[in-house]
Amino acid sequence: MSQIGKQIVDFKVEAFINNDFKTVSKEDVLGKWSVFFFYPADFTFVCPTELEDLANKYDEFKATGAEIYSVSTDTHFVHKAWHDTSDTIKKIKYPMLADPTGVLSRGFNVMIEEAGLAERGTFIVNPAGEIVAYEVVAGNVGRNADELLRKLKALQFIEANPSEVCPAKWEEGKATLKPGIDLVGVI
């Protein structure tokens, strides 16, 4: 069943951010664009490569007005320990949400119940708290921050320009399409 248009779950979790612990809730997310980036576990193999990719693009995500929230079922203490021991994870400036109870993983329908871990799920959430894009990939395949940023910008563009659509591989500043009878069968 599609999750497009689904309101995100009400939540309140601990996070590790800027070398400190902070509580993050649904109220903190509403009113801005958000990316929830679920991954299986800290101290693993594919996960740090993805989180580093996001860290390297974080300023570009912030420039769009969006916040990134990485999420695993580890505690905020484990996030800190990983940050303190890994040069790769030290690059992260975005909030690392702790989901040991699975409230977020279950709420976004990415919990692997028998393992107590989250799937590799990526969700773009609009300022109203609705899921507007998502993908879930196999645990052994990493994701691409460039493509995620492109999708975020396209979603923001169409929200601001509802009479237009973004074609495949659309990038910011490129031509869009205006659906209408004159385009039927022409493209």
Side-chain angles (χ1 to χ4, degrees):
M1 178 179 243
S2 177
Q3 296 201 62
I4 299 298
K6 178 182 171 186
Q7 185 69 211
I8 63 170
V9 66
D10 193 26
F11 71 92
K12 184 185 245 184
V13 298
E14 293 302 311
F16 177 70
I17 177 172
N18 295 326
N19 214 31
D20 200 5
F21 296 135
K22 179 182 174 187
T23 301
V24 176
S25 68
K26 181 178 179 177
E27 291 75 35
D28 297 316
V29 171
L30 297 177
K32 64 181 178 228
W33 287 87
S34 302
V35 175
F36 285 83
F37 197 84
F38 290 84
Y39 63 97
D42 292 358
F43 293 98
T44 55
F45 316 102
V46 175
C47 301
T49 67
E50 295 180 305
L51 297 178
E52 179 183 35
D53 191 30
L54 282 174
N56 291 339
K57 293 283 182 187
Y58 187 51
D59 288 341
E60 291 179 59
F61 278 92
K62 291 296 281 184
T64 71
E67 181 60 86
I68 294 172
Y69 299 97
S70 66
V71 187
S72 78
T73 56
D74 297 289
T75 67
H76 54 299
F77 301 114
V78 176
H79 291 334
K80 181 188 183 322
W82 196 23
H83 179 272
D84 291 350
T85 60
S86 168
D87 289 338
T88 299
I89 301 306
K90 281 181 181 146
K91 297 176 184 178
I92 294 175
K93 302 291 185 232
Y94 50 81
M96 298 179 76
L97 303 186
D99 190 31
T101 66
V103 66
L104 286 169
S105 299
R106 287 185 185 93
F108 282 84
N109 200 29
V110 293
M111 177 65 96
I112 307 167
E113 291 294 341
E114 61 277 3
L117 303 173
E119 298 275 8
R120 281 188 205 291
T122 310
F123 297 82
I124 299 175
V125 176
N126 70 15
E130 301 164 334
I131 297 169
V132 292
Y134 69 97
E135 78 173 333
V136 180
V137 297
N140 52 0
V141 176
R143 294 160 283 179
N144 182 320
D146 288 320
E147 175 58 10
L148 180 57
L149 182 60
R150 185 196 74 79
K151 286 179 191 176
L152 172 64
K153 288 179 178 181
L155 289 160
Q156 291 175 326
F157 181 87
I158 63 169
E159 183 168 288
N161 301 279
S163 66
E164 299 178 46
V165 296
C166 296
K169 296 186 178 183
W170 177 87
E171 293 182 17
E172 189 174 30
K174 300 287 183 173
T176 58
L177 300 171
K178 291 190 179 190
I181 191 77
D182 56 321
L183 288 182
V184 175
V186 175
I187 299 174

